Amino acid sequence: MKRGPQRSVDPRAVLDAALELVDGGGLTMRALAARVGLTPGALYTYFPDRAAIMNALADRLLAEADLGVLEDRARPPHQRIEDFALTLREVLLRHPAAVPVILGAAYSGPVALRVGESMLGVLPDPRACYAVMVYVLGAIALEAAELVDSGGKDGKDGKDGKDGKDGKESKESKDSKSGKDGKSAEARGALPSEAERIAVRRAALVVDPEAFPRTHAAADAIAAYISTDQFRWGLRRLLAGL
Amino acid sequence: MKRGPQRSVDPRAVLDAALELVDGGGLTMRALAARVGLTPGALYTYFPDRAAIMNALADRLLAEADLGVLEDRARPPHQRIEDFALTLREVLLRHPAAVPVILGAAYSGPVALRVGESMLGVLPDPRACYAVMVYVLGAIALEAAELVDSGGKDGKDGKDGKDGKDGKESKESKDSKSGKDGKSAEARGALPSEAERIAVRRAALVVDPEAFPRTHAAADAIAAYISTDQFRWGLRRLLAGL
DNA sequence: ACCTGAACACCGTTCAAGT
DNA sequence: ACCTGAACACCGTTCAAGT
């Protein structure tokens, strides 16, 4: 009972490849076509345009978070929210480059509707629901933004420095682009552990103690902004206030 | 005591033009160069790359929010937070297309440092500070995302239709690009009022009452997610929990 | 130092033509 | 219906050459 697929590739395989490319730092119609063995133009038989692919991707990622925990009547309400938020964060932080799209599609997608409906089941006040969504998505977005331009290979943004004083800026680290097969983006693997990322943030956090005394004093806590503990702490505070 | 500017345009004017282009839906090195009367290549004398322009823009916008209210010892602490958050939201929602960049530059910029230092002055616990930042930036990001792809003129996404059946597609509505003055993008003006935007959201919120009973019942409140009242309500709840 | 002109290496999208 | 090949109208960035 196959629904008459006379296409040469499964649409879901296209989405799989697209997600890999997004994770790799650059989704391109041309690269995507090459990945699935098609011509760029043929992709427009599968999706109307690039934005449609991104939206489909956002919905798929949202669907990966376990809605079950949100509806598990065995746990106390606030725990259900917290558990779901933690799994959502985990899923999305595995694909940080896709997070901005999710922010944009937060309301619209079909899965987003289901999540909203479930949340209203545990938090009946819609204002409270939205406050939680704002906190959860805001925290994820902030963390993802940091992951994407520090851990993200060579996407398209400027690298580490911010003024070109050092001198050496071109000619290097630019060779991995010209190939047509585009298989070079698989050295990604596991991103650094939370402890490592906090340590890196701590080391980078050098401020003038005269000009920024409080920031200087709080440097350890600030470095740990991206921690799971901080995420949970803030969420619990918010839930306590609702 | 001019600092020896032998450039033909003020760097701040370049940033002004860049902001206008971002607001208009599409910042392009070529368009920016044309706006300020330069060649694309000449821009690289002012900024190392496009990302640097975006970061400078983010910092400038952050600086527009009134830091004074955050340090006004006359008001109670939570009020200072709330007032600052409201002005920041107002500033950023005037430039929704620039908001994603601000999410990315939230930690790094010099102005961001100052904001953080001031916030620690009123909310001494850094975890509380970050929770507030997460909520405020998250809410702004969610609202901006909706503004940018519903109100955003004709940036680079498909226009109204999505299939080119009408026939007439080239040759027209494309004349405003080749000119060198590029003044065509000033029909922007005032975006719709909050009440109007809520009404539009409410009208678009049609869900199956059987499948999504709670969403259906809460439709009015959901449409008002983007309201200043909702923003303030959630912020107050969070502050209450801290 | 700043700028131009021209190029390089890309993009997303469209479309006649084939099957 | 699906796909190819080729084109169109763009991109950001670099760089020799001029001043």
Side-chain angles (χ1 to χ4, degrees):
Chain A
M1 67 187 313
K2 8 185 96 168
R3 308 92 160 167
Q6 45 194 141
R7 341 186 70 130
S8 64
V9 306
D10 187 335
R12 292 179 312 170
V14 176
L15 233 40
D16 287 339
L19 183 55
E20 282 179 54
L21 286 171
V22 167
D23 287 344
L27 169 62
T28 277
M29 298 303 272
R30 290 168 140 91
L32 179 55
R35 271 284 178 104
V36 298
L38 286 177
T39 265
L43 286 177
Y44 293 82
T45 313
Y46 294 77
F47 297 94
D49 55 21
R50 190 181 181 281
I53 297 180
M54 294 300 272
N55 285 336
L57 234 37
D59 220 58
R60 155 177 297 204
L61 285 182
L62 210 53
E64 266 184 43
D66 185 12
L67 250 181
V69 311
L70 206 45
E71 284 161 351
D72 179 4
R73 322 242 315 163
R75 324 182 197 203
H78 283 192
Q79 178 114 56
R80 287 197 255 170
I81 297 281
E82 182 179 317
D83 290 347
F84 177 73
L86 282 169
T87 74
L88 182 62
R89 173 170 174 269
E90 207 172 324
V91 168
L92 296 190
L93 290 189
R94 273 201 291 265
H95 309 280
V99 167
V101 193
I102 292 183
L103 273 245
Y107 311 106
S108 42
V111 181
L113 253 184
R114 275 250 62 90
V115 171
E117 179 73 12
S118 282
M119 279 192 56
L120 283 169
V122 23
L123 235 47
D125 185 344
R127 294 175 303 176
C129 270
Y130 186 67
V132 167
M133 283 171 44
V134 159
Y135 175 85
V136 169
L137 291 178
I140 293 171
L142 252 22
E143 294 182 46
E146 193 161 276
L147 276 178
V148 81
D149 62 27
S150 74
K153 345 180 54 50
D154 50 348
K156 48 188 58 176
D157 302 331
K159 332 229 83 154
D160 28 20
K162 62 176 60 176
D163 47 358
K165 264 187 183 169
D166 312 39
K168 50 158 183 174
E169 58 248 24
S170 55
K171 283 284 191 317
E172 307 191 28
S173 73
K174 206 155 253 183
D175 41 1
S176 60
K177 270 287 183 62
S178 50
K180 197 159 205 175
D181 42 21
K183 271 188 187 167
S184 61
E186 57 196 358
R188 179 174 11 106
L191 44 163
S193 76
E194 182 174 299
E196 283 170 327
R197 280 165 38 224
I198 293 176
V200 168
R201 282 174 53 89
R202 182 63 187 85
L205 206 69
V206 281
V207 297
D208 179 9
E210 308 270 334
F212 303 97
R214 294 183 280 249
T215 303
H216 180 77
D220 284 337
I222 293 173
Y225 277 174
I226 59 156
S227 67
T228 306
D229 276 347
Q230 165 73 40
F231 178 81
R232 187 167 18 216
W233 183 89
L235 180 54
R236 283 182 178 167
R237 291 289 124 194
L238 173 59
L239 288 170
L242 291 176
Chain B
M1 62 186 319
K2 10 184 94 170
R3 310 90 158 171
Q6 47 194 137
R7 338 188 71 129
S8 66
V9 308
D10 187 334
R12 293 179 311 170
V14 176
L15 234 40
D16 288 340
L19 183 54
E20 281 179 57
L21 286 171
V22 167
D23 288 343
L27 169 61
T28 278
M29 298 303 272
R30 290 168 140 92
L32 178 56
R35 270 283 178 105
V36 299
L38 285 177
T39 264
L43 286 178
Y44 293 80
T45 313
Y46 293 78
F47 297 94
D49 54 20
R50 189 182 181 280
I53 297 180
M54 294 300 273
N55 285 335
L57 234 37
D59 220 58
R60 154 175 300 200
L61 285 182
L62 210 52
E64 267 183 41
D66 186 10
L67 250 181
V69 311
L70 206 45
E71 286 161 351
D72 180 4
R73 324 244 311 164
R75 323 183 197 202
H78 283 191
Q79 177 114 58
R80 287 196 255 170
I81 298 280
E82 182 179 317
D83 290 347
F84 176 73
L86 282 169
T87 73
L88 181 62
R89 173 170 174 269
E90 208 171 325
V91 168
L92 295 191
L93 289 188
R94 272 200 292 265
H95 308 281
V99 166
V101 193
I102 292 183
L103 274 244
Y107 311 104
S108 44
V111 181
L113 253 183
R114 274 250 64 88
V115 171
E117 179 73 13
S118 282
M119 278 192 56
L120 283 170
V122 22
L123 234 48
D125 185 345
R127 294 175 302 174
C129 268
Y130 186 67
V132 167
M133 281 170 46
V134 159
Y135 175 85
V136 170
L137 291 179
I140 292 170
L142 252 21
E143 294 183 45
E146 195 162 276
L147 277 177
V148 81
D149 62 28
S150 75
K153 341 177 57 49
D154 51 345
K156 54 187 53 177
D157 304 331
K159 334 225 82 157
D160 28 19
K162 63 178 55 177
D163 46 0
K165 266 189 182 166
D166 311 43
K168 51 160 184 175
E169 60 250 22
S170 54
K171 286 285 191 318
E172 307 193 25
S173 75
K174 208 156 254 184
D175 42 2
S176 60
K177 271 286 183 62
S178 51
K180 204 157 204 173
D181 40 21
K183 273 187 186 169
S184 61
E186 56 195 359
R188 177 170 15 102
L191 47 162
S193 76
E194 183 174 296
E196 283 170 326
R197 278 165 40 223
I198 293 176
V200 169
R201 281 173 55 88
R202 182 62 187 84
L205 205 69
V206 280
V207 296
D208 178 11
E210 307 271 333
F212 303 96
R214 294 184 279 250
T215 304
H216 181 77
D220 283 337
I222 293 172
Y225 277 174
I226 60 156
S227 67
T228 305
D229 276 347
Q230 166 73 41
F231 178 81
R232 187 167 19 216
W233 184 88
L235 180 55
R236 283 182 178 166
R237 291 289 123 193
L238 173 60
L239 289 170
L242 293 175

